[in-house]
Amino acid sequence: MTRPTRQRERERDTESEGEQEKGARTCPECASETIVKDADRGELVCDDCGLVIEEDQIDPGPEWRAFNHSERQNKSRVGAPTTQTMHDKGLTTTIDWKDKDAYGRSISSKKRSQMHRLRKWQERIRTKDAGERNLQFALSEIDRMASALGVPRSVREVASVIYRRALSDDLIRGRSIEGVATSALYAACRKEGIPRSLEEISEVSRVERKEIGRTYRYISQELGLEMEPVDPKKYVPRFCSELELSEEVQSKANEIITTTAEKGLLSGKSPTGYAAAAIYAASLLCNEKKTQREVADVAQVTEVTIRNRYQEQIEAMGIH
């Protein structure tokens, strides 16, 4: 008789590992699709007629067993996953900056000076040529700017991939590393649907706005990055949060943008200015008035832009 623990293991294996095999394999005896993987015996068994379809399977899992998450973490012998945000993809070793041993005790002064020398040489040998040093600098710049902008990890990964593609296609020649790195980050923000305006990007960068825009257009064209126009509605939640406006204002601003965009008013307009004007109009309609200066400061546009877009929107909406 099968023990309950063995039965549970078989059911767990069936759920986690046998899903694909169910759809892909059938029993040659009874044509059943209920195929069970028995991890203890290394067999594939038909659950209806009991036929052993395959035996002596290779177990790709570890030889140890763990019964909870902490035990699994302690016994695991693999490192962190590879990442595009580091020039060596995170495959080289690192020496911790803490001057402590494995037990958390402070090390002697002689050992401290030795570890200082080892850290210095570790940093030197991680990059073998000027190309790797430039890549290391560019990726660290992307990481710094992404942290300042508060964008998620996925954006940093995409920006690093775009920069690596630009480097491999020799698009860096004649341009500054900071300019291409900033343009890659701007492109990644648009790709991931987390838009940041050129003004926000230039604030955290060491490059002027004009150069960022010029470099961005060049690398997006050369790399064939298919960029769709930025939807102004993606700016609305962030701007409303900074202005401390209610959900009602946010919903009304989205409604204004949708209605006026359908009438063709969005064509050729800045999405940040368009979103700011919609928020200003919505705040007036919902009796949560904000001044044009307050909205302009948050959206980083001029008051004139807000006034012009605001007049166009209320005329299109038929509001007087």
Side-chain angles (χ1 to χ4, degrees):
M1 183 177 176
T2 307
R3 290 179 298 178
T5 54
R6 180 71 56 79
Q7 184 65 32
R8 280 199 299 271
E9 288 177 3
R10 287 181 63 184
E11 289 174 358
R12 192 162 55 246
D13 291 333
T14 305
E15 291 173 359
S16 61
E17 299 174 11
E19 288 296 329
Q20 295 178 352
E21 290 164 358
K22 281 183 182 179
R25 307 192 68 158
T26 57
C27 175
E29 189 71 26
C30 65
S32 171
E33 294 185 355
T34 313
I35 309 300
V36 179
K37 181 175 181 180
D38 191 341
D40 292 336
R41 297 188 178 89
E43 296 174 346
L44 279 180
V45 184
C46 175
D47 204 35
D48 291 340
C49 67
L51 179 72
V52 178
I53 300 169
E54 192 174 321
E55 59 183 350
D56 297 330
Q57 285 188 319
I58 297 173
D59 185 9
E63 81 286 356
W64 45 262
R65 298 178 71 187
F67 300 97
N68 54 50
H69 179 70
S70 60
E71 191 176 353
R72 192 175 295 109
Q73 290 291 100
N74 290 334
K75 289 186 176 183
S76 178
R77 293 189 292 270
V78 297
T82 57
T83 174
Q84 298 289 337
T85 58
M86 300 175 71
H87 77 283
D88 52 14
K89 299 185 180 179
L91 296 175
T92 58
T93 55
T94 55
I95 300 175
D96 196 8
W97 58 271
K98 297 176 183 176
D99 290 323
K100 296 183 182 296
D101 61 10
Y103 299 100
R105 297 189 295 249
S106 296
I107 58 178
S108 63
S109 58
K110 182 179 179 181
K111 283 284 185 185
R112 260 200 302 273
S113 62
Q114 183 183 0
M115 294 306 294
H116 178 69
R117 285 199 306 275
L118 286 172
R119 283 193 203 98
K120 187 185 294 182
W121 279 106
Q122 171 71 8
E123 285 299 316
R124 288 175 180 173
I125 65 175
R126 283 183 71 184
T127 53
K128 62 183 179 182
D129 53 26
E132 282 198 0
R133 280 195 296 275
N134 290 344
L135 180 60
Q136 183 182 29
F137 172 70
L139 295 180
S140 65
E141 275 292 288
I142 289 173
D143 197 55
R144 179 189 66 80
M145 291 185 291
S147 297
L149 289 169
V151 294
R153 187 81 187 173
S154 60
V155 174
R156 305 180 195 196
E157 292 281 350
V158 173
S160 302
V161 171
I162 292 173
Y163 185 87
R164 287 174 185 271
R165 286 183 59 193
L167 185 63
S168 64
D169 289 358
D170 200 25
L171 303 181
I172 316 292
R173 190 183 300 276
R175 292 169 180 81
S176 67
I177 295 173
E178 294 98 329
V180 179
T182 309
S183 303
L185 181 60
Y186 177 62
C189 287
R190 292 189 60 172
K191 273 278 191 188
E192 291 295 292
I194 305 172
R196 293 290 186 270
S197 63
L198 277 174
E199 288 78 11
E200 291 174 292
I201 296 282
S202 61
E203 275 188 1
V204 299
S205 175
R206 299 189 179 98
V207 186
E208 292 183 358
R209 179 186 180 280
K210 188 180 291 186
E211 185 183 343
I212 296 170
R214 186 168 56 242
T215 310
Y216 161 73
R217 286 191 294 272
Y218 174 72
I219 64 170
S220 61
Q221 182 179 356
E222 292 295 320
L223 297 178
L225 303 177
E226 296 179 0
M227 294 294 183
E228 295 184 359
V230 179
D231 187 357
K233 287 191 284 189
K234 291 186 177 179
Y235 289 104
V236 171
R238 185 156 56 92
F239 291 169
C240 285
S241 176
E242 291 183 28
L243 289 166
E244 298 180 352
L245 293 169
S246 65
E247 289 285 334
E248 184 186 359
V249 175
Q250 184 174 325
S251 177
K252 190 66 178 176
N254 286 329
E255 182 188 335
I256 292 170
I257 291 171
T258 303
T259 306
T260 54
E262 287 174 354
K263 296 182 179 180
L265 294 185
L266 181 56
S267 179
K269 307 295 193 304
S270 166
T272 51
Y274 205 83
I279 291 170
Y280 175 67
S283 69
L284 294 178
L285 293 171
C286 298
N287 294 322
E288 296 183 35
K289 187 174 180 350
K290 294 288 180 181
T291 63
Q292 292 179 3
R293 168 48 53 195
E294 288 175 312
V295 180
D297 288 342
V298 167
Q300 295 183 332
V301 295
T302 63
E303 294 176 60
V304 176
T305 301
I306 292 180
R307 277 196 293 273
N308 291 339
R309 299 293 87 78
Y310 166 72
Q311 289 294 335
E312 294 170 358
Q313 289 172 357
I314 61 171
E315 285 176 12
M317 294 282 291
I319 302 170
H320 300 288

